[in-house]
Amino acid sequence: MLFRSRVPKNHQRVEAYGAVDELNAALGMARATATDDFVVRNLPAIQKDLIVLMGELGVMPEDLPRYVKDGYSLVTPAMTAPLDALVKVIESQNVTFKGWATPGATNHSAALDMARTVCRRAERRVCALKESGGPVNAEIIIYLNRLSDLLWLFARWVETKRPSAGK
């Protein structure tokens, strides 16, 4: 069901918001296994943003004006900006990594890496929706791309234990 419209369960729009729903659950797992306060205190706001993102994906383009009129929010650059700010905070602490990271150094970093891979899949699903001709707010793709970058950095952050970040 898409904001008062019925579509098949395998509709590309359902696939897209379903992947974002899985991402939100993966972030919940990352939060539940958290060992680092800097990471955990930033996850709830991201999870709330994903609710907005899923809501927008769950609306057929012709229903968007009614969706907004009913008081629902759309994804905007203002939602992406905090992700960019967090990336800058982590990068300012010299959290870098050359080559490929092997997930699993800790439960928390592994959960963050799992969330990152789910985020990349969600991004691919949204891109497939757009490429099939389904109108998609470009900011949704930007948001998911930035979030996956941030999740990668969060995982490296946890593995390197840089407690001075954000203080």
Side-chain angles (χ1 to χ4, degrees), residues 13 53 56-57 64 74-80 122-123 126-127 129-131 134-146:
R13 197 163 285 282
L53 196 147
E56 183 174 344
L57 284 172
L64 270 175
L74 302 179
V75 178
T76 66
M79 289 172 58
T80 305
E123 181 183 7
V126 173
C127 286
L129 173 62
K130 183 175 183 174
E131 289 169 11
V136 172
N137 175 355
E139 194 63 32
I140 289 174
I141 296 168
I142 293 167
Y143 184 93
L144 291 171
N145 183 271
R146 295 298 191 299

Side-chain angles (χ1 to χ4, degrees), residues 77-140:
M79 289 172 58
T80 305
L83 302 181
D84 290 329
L86 285 168
V87 165
K88 286 178 184 174
V89 166
I90 295 169
E91 288 177 340
S92 76
Q93 299 293 316
N94 297 319
V95 174
T96 59
F97 192 87
K98 294 186 190 230
W100 291 92
T102 303
T106 69
N107 287 340
H108 188 198
S109 68
L112 288 162
D113 276 318
M114 179 60 80
R116 174 189 49 82
T117 63
V118 175
C119 187
R120 288 287 189 205
R121 182 164 40 85
E123 181 183 7
R124 291 191 304 271
R125 294 288 193 273
V126 173
C127 286
L129 173 62
K130 183 175 183 174
E131 289 169 11
S132 74
V136 172
N137 175 355
E139 194 63 32
I140 289 174

Side-chain angles (χ1 to χ4, degrees), residues 26-101:
L27 287 176
M29 180 62 74
R31 195 161 48 99
T33 62
T35 57
D36 187 279
D37 185 58
F38 172 66
V39 175
V40 77
R41 74 176 176 258
N42 287 291
L43 293 180
I46 293 168
Q47 289 181 280
K48 287 178 184 176
D49 284 349
L50 291 178
I51 300 294
V52 172
L53 196 147
M54 281 188 286
E56 183 174 344
L57 284 172
V59 178
M60 297 298 278
E62 60 271 17
D63 293 328
L64 270 175
R66 185 172 42 128
Y67 183 76
V68 171
K69 184 181 175 195
D70 285 353
Y72 295 100
S73 300
L74 302 179
V75 178
T76 66
M79 289 172 58
T80 305
L83 302 181
D84 290 329
L86 285 168
V87 165
K88 286 178 184 174
V89 166
I90 295 169
E91 288 177 340
S92 76
Q93 299 293 316
N94 297 319
V95 174
T96 59
F97 192 87
K98 294 186 190 230
W100 291 92

